[in-house]
Amino acid sequence: MRRVLFLLLAAAATVLLTLGFFALPRVVNLEIGAWTIETSGAAAAILLVIALALAYGVVRLILRLLFLPRRWRRWRQARGRRRGERAVTRALVALAAGEGAAARVESERARRGLGDTPQTLLLAAYAARQAGQDAEAAALFETLARHREASFLGLRGLFQQAAGREDWEAAAQLARRAEAAFPGAAWLRRERLAIALRRGAWAEALALAGPDAPRAAYAAAAAIAEPDPAAALRLARRAFQDDPRLTPAALAYAERLRAVGKERAVMRLLRAAWAANPHPDLAAFALAPLADAVARLRAAETLVAGRADDAESHFLLARVALDAGLIGQARHHAEAARATLRQRRVFLLLADIAEREATDEEYRAAANEALSLALRQAAAAEPDPTWHCDACAAHLAAWQPLCPACGAQGRVVWGQVPTRALGHDPAKSTALLTPR
């Protein structure tokens, strides 16, 4: 339909032009000053068309000459962009191949061709970093960090440099700036957590940790390190509520309660902690304020009431009964503990009991024989429980939320160290921070 309409309009225009041409006058006189030109109407029309065409050509030529510098600049810019884009490709290839020097050369060409865009600045920074020019890379990352829309890229590069030189304070500051520039980045959250663990900033680690992290361990460590008593109390309470079996959490909570004079609450807490997981440090903390041996025995009996048949409870009662001079009661509990615990400390306790019994002339011979037997058994007994990492079996003098040997989080436990690591390869342990 459109084609038919176009043909009709073209035919009508042709007819009109033909009629107009035949309607021209036969003779046209044109006077220019003293000159008079006489010609036919058709020739005049043709001359007019030629004159208009020449005028149009002259105007176009003048305009081209006027805009020639701008067109020249645009041509050069287009050529520079093409060269810059090719240089970007070559720089990326050089970076992938590990050729830092070549990548630097190509990145400079890209900057000349495309200017200092976020892309060329980032490429030049990583090329300089790969070539070992850390100062140059830092300057480029700083320039990129000042870019309104691409500041996160510059901050990330600066962060990686700080992590590479193990400047954790600077890395933490840069991570906070990057979080403000791009909130909610999963990579950044993981890196911030890793830095917090490196720095021992347990409260920050607790705030950044996910649901699968050992949050009770972080909260307990934060409570121990927190100088503000009120904040420490809140953290310790949270740690104990998250994991009542975690002895350091219970001790941190009890210590803060004792600091504010809530001794009854301390004993209730320690009884609950002992029922959840008996530990010698709980008993030591509970009995510390008591000097009288009989009072210590009564307090120990109250402490272990929720788990009186546990071997650890019997061992504690045997020790405090011996200190109170109750030899028979001490031996009863020590024998009950030996039925389960074949550890060196149990046999040494039995040796102490036998040594005390040997002071009685009537039982001296039997006591000396029991002492000798207990010492021989202690020499061949299982080792005493200690703090150790159940991931790599490393010994630790005290509890820590993080294993210093393999970096495992929340894996430091109290007990006997296994004779061999539980299939754990320290080289494959969770890395706290791998600078990239």
Side-chain angles (χ1 to χ4, degrees):
M1 185 66 183
R2 291 181 180 178
R3 188 173 296 179
V4 172
L5 290 174
F6 176 77
L7 291 174
L8 291 174
L9 290 173
T14 302
V15 171
L16 291 174
L17 289 173
T18 303
L19 292 174
F21 182 79
F22 284 109
L24 292 172
R26 292 181 178 275
V27 177
V28 176
N29 293 322
L30 180 63
E31 294 183 1
I32 305 175
W35 296 86
T36 300
I37 299 175
E38 182 178 338
T39 184
S40 65
I46 294 172
L47 289 173
L48 178 62
V49 171
I50 294 173
L52 291 175
L54 289 173
Y56 176 76
V58 170
V59 170
R60 287 291 305 271
L61 178 61
I62 293 172
L63 290 175
R64 282 181 176 273
L65 291 174
L66 289 175
F67 290 102
L68 183 60
R70 181 185 298 179
R71 293 173 63 86
W72 174 256
R73 286 195 301 271
R74 288 180 178 176
W75 178 81
R76 291 193 62 185
Q77 289 171 356
R79 187 182 66 170
R81 282 195 298 270
R82 290 192 297 271
R83 290 181 175 178
E85 289 168 358
R86 289 195 295 269
V88 166
T89 303
R90 291 193 294 266
L92 289 172
V93 172
L95 280 175
E99 297 292 335
R104 283 186 71 204
V105 173
E106 295 299 336
S107 65
E108 287 301 319
R109 289 177 179 170
R111 290 177 68 189
R112 286 196 299 270
L114 301 175
D116 282 344
T117 66
Q119 294 81 3
T120 58
L121 286 172
L122 183 65
L123 185 61
Y126 276 105
R129 182 178 173 186
Q130 191 174 87
Q133 302 296 324
D134 291 337
E136 179 183 342
L140 290 165
F141 281 131
E142 283 285 359
T143 303
L144 191 57
R146 291 192 292 270
H147 195 281
R148 185 171 60 87
E149 296 179 351
S151 60
F152 179 80
L153 296 173
L155 292 170
R156 174 174 173 143
L158 292 171
F159 166 84
Q160 290 172 339
Q161 284 190 307
R165 62 177 182 269
E166 298 187 358
D167 187 353
W168 305 121
E169 292 297 331
Q173 183 179 1
L174 289 165
R176 286 192 290 270
R177 289 175 59 192
E179 177 72 21
F182 195 92
W187 165 85
L188 185 58
R189 190 177 185 88
R190 290 193 300 270
E191 297 293 1
R192 288 185 64 194
L193 173 59
I195 294 173
L197 296 177
R198 288 272 192 176
R199 295 168 56 227
W202 306 114
E204 184 178 354
L206 179 62
L208 294 168
D212 297 331
R215 300 176 64 84
Y218 295 164
I224 295 171
E226 177 59 52
D228 179 27
L233 180 60
R234 288 194 298 271
L235 288 167
R237 183 190 301 115
R238 178 177 179 179
F240 182 71
Q241 290 172 348
D242 287 348
D243 188 1
R245 294 178 53 82
L246 185 60
T247 299
L251 289 172
Y253 191 13
E255 182 178 357
R256 296 301 178 178
L257 289 173
R258 178 169 286 173
V260 295
K262 297 183 177 181
E263 193 62 32
R264 290 186 178 181
V266 170
M267 293 309 299
R268 285 196 302 270
L269 168 65
L270 293 176
R271 287 198 298 270
W274 188 275
N277 184 27
H279 192 281
D281 289 349
L282 296 172
F285 189 85
L287 304 181
L290 304 174
D292 182 70
V294 176
R296 289 169 61 86
L297 176 59
R298 291 173 180 170
E301 291 172 344
T302 303
L303 175 67
V304 305
R307 201 162 176 174
D309 293 333
D310 188 85
E312 200 68 48
S313 300
H314 283 298
F315 180 80
L316 171 63
L317 293 176
R319 171 58 65 188
V320 293
L322 180 61
D323 293 340
L326 303 176
I327 308 300
Q329 187 174 347
R331 176 166 288 281
H332 166 74
H333 287 297
E335 293 292 347
R338 183 174 62 172
T340 304
L341 299 178
R342 311 294 295 179
Q343 299 169 357
R344 186 175 296 112
R345 58 178 178 148
V346 177
F347 293 108
L348 291 177
L349 176 60
L350 286 168
D352 290 342
I353 294 173
E355 189 174 6
R356 293 284 291 275
E357 289 174 336
T359 58
D360 190 331
E361 188 69 29
E362 182 179 353
Y363 302 104
R364 179 171 298 173
N368 286 334
E369 184 178 350
L371 173 60
S372 177
L373 175 62
L375 291 176
R376 288 197 304 271
Q377 289 175 325
E382 298 174 356
D384 293 340
T386 59
W387 289 111
H388 66 278
C389 175
D390 69 351
C392 67
H395 288 264
L396 282 82
W399 176 84
Q400 296 185 39
L402 209 68
C403 175
C406 69
Q409 306 170 26
R411 302 292 296 273
V412 176
V413 297
W414 173 265
Q416 287 184 306
V417 182
T419 55
R420 57 186 296 273
L422 304 177
H424 180 78
D425 183 1
K428 298 180 180 179
S429 61
T430 303
L432 294 180
L433 187 67
T434 303
R436 291 177 290 277

